[in-house]
Amino acid sequence: QVQLQESGPGLVKPSETLSLTCSVSGGSINSNSYYWGWIRQPPGKGLEWIGSISYTGSTYYSPSFKSRGTMSADKSKNQFSLRLNSVTAADTAVYYCARRDGRDGYHMFDYWGQGTLVTVSS
Amino acid sequence: QPVLTQPPSASGTPGQRVIISCSGSSSNIGSNTVNWYQQLPGTAPKLLIYSTNQRPSGVPDRFSGSKSGTSASLAISGLQSEDEADYYCAAWDGSLSMYVFGTGTKVTVL
């Protein structure tokens, strides 16, 4: 059974960088069958896709995050990460990491982490 | 902001059938498959329907999905109290080059 677990600071100051890591167990991020993604949910609001990274390291970002976001993967640790620069209060949200089916046309996220709340405040 | 529109709420009594709509455009629902996620209170979303009408292993057949043109629907038959949750549709948008979620629908079992 694949499990994902987000980790990182729960509090980030405005204008600083948000950094989160997703640890994957029960499966390899180096598998060509899957992509790995980040989705966030502001308190009381809906879901928002941030971006995805493939096993080759190719990254795909929502236009809303392309200028501020950076995703990377560490195959040796079976982890992938998200960095979001210049955060504001609007970036306060629960951040989820998730696994995406890698087949063309199958853009579903079938396994999710439990989520981690990141608050942006001074 | 979300590009897939859902009704904010839906409700029904136990045993009833509830249908949730998801309205999109030719660049998302009209040309790609639709996924549905169920989010129980305080938990992470769970994949409920993929490829418009397929259920992952373990999802009861009370849940079914369909689409017509640029709209999709999720039907919950034989509504149960444990179905109280938020439901989100989602699809790839080829024009925006991004995965888009619906606005979400809160289902209440009366």
Side-chain angles (χ1 to χ4, degrees):
Chain A
Q1 180 82 340
V2 175
Q3 292 186 319
L4 297 91
Q5 178 69 57
E6 305 88 350
S7 60
L11 181 64
V12 181
K13 289 182 169 55
S15 81
E16 295 190 346
T17 297
L18 177 160
S19 293
L20 295 174
T21 296
C22 182
S23 299
V24 179
S25 59
S28 171
I29 67 168
N30 200 31
S31 167
N32 63 1
S33 299
Y34 304 105
Y35 286 66
W36 307 89
W38 290 95
I39 299 103
R40 74 178 188 181
Q41 184 173 35
K45 296 189 178 180
L47 300 167
E48 182 178 28
W49 176 71
I50 298 172
S52 297
I53 185 169
S54 75
Y55 75 102
T56 63
S58 297
T59 52
Y60 308 85
Y61 298 96
S62 161
S64 299
F65 296 97
K66 203 164 189 175
S67 63
R68 294 195 298 137
T70 303
M71 288 181 294
S72 60
D74 186 335
K75 296 175 184 177
S76 66
K77 294 183 179 179
N78 216 35
Q79 297 175 334
F80 61 102
S81 300
L82 170 71
R83 288 171 57 87
L84 193 61
N85 301 328
S86 306
V87 297
T88 69
D91 293 309
T92 294
V94 174
Y95 286 76
Y96 296 101
C97 60
R99 188 184 81 170
R100 202 214 93 180
D101 193 299
R103 292 172 289 176
D104 284 344
Y106 286 79
H107 288 275
M108 73 275 200
F109 291 96
D110 56 359
Y111 285 93
W112 295 62
Q114 65 185 27
T116 186
L117 174 63
V118 178
T119 301
V120 178
S121 175
S122 55
Chain B
Q1 42 275 55
V3 299
L4 303 181
T5 303
Q6 301 176 233
S9 63
S11 62
T13 57
Q16 277 191 328
R17 185 170 188 246
V18 170
I19 297 177
I20 302 168
S21 62
C22 174
S23 178
S25 68
S26 58
S27 63
N28 43 65
I29 294 176
S31 52
N32 294 294
T33 60
V34 180
N35 307 312
W36 290 89
Y37 299 90
Q38 177 193 57
Q39 188 175 32
L40 297 170
T43 69
K46 167 191 168 184
L47 180 65
L48 195 65
I49 297 286
Y50 69 94
S51 296
T52 303
N53 55 17
Q54 302 298 303
R55 286 185 307 277
S57 174
V59 173
D61 59 6
R62 303 186 291 105
F63 295 93
S64 62
S66 63
K67 83 168 183 179
S68 178
T70 59
S71 292
S73 296
L74 172 72
I76 309 174
S77 302
L79 192 65
Q80 298 182 6
S81 57
E82 56 260 40
D83 298 333
E84 274 208 347
D86 293 324
Y87 293 83
Y88 294 90
C89 59
W92 181 258
D93 190 298
S95 291
L96 298 174
S97 294
M98 62 181 287
Y99 192 64
V100 292
F101 286 96
T103 49
T105 298
K106 183 176 183 61
V107 168
T108 301
V109 181
L110 301 171

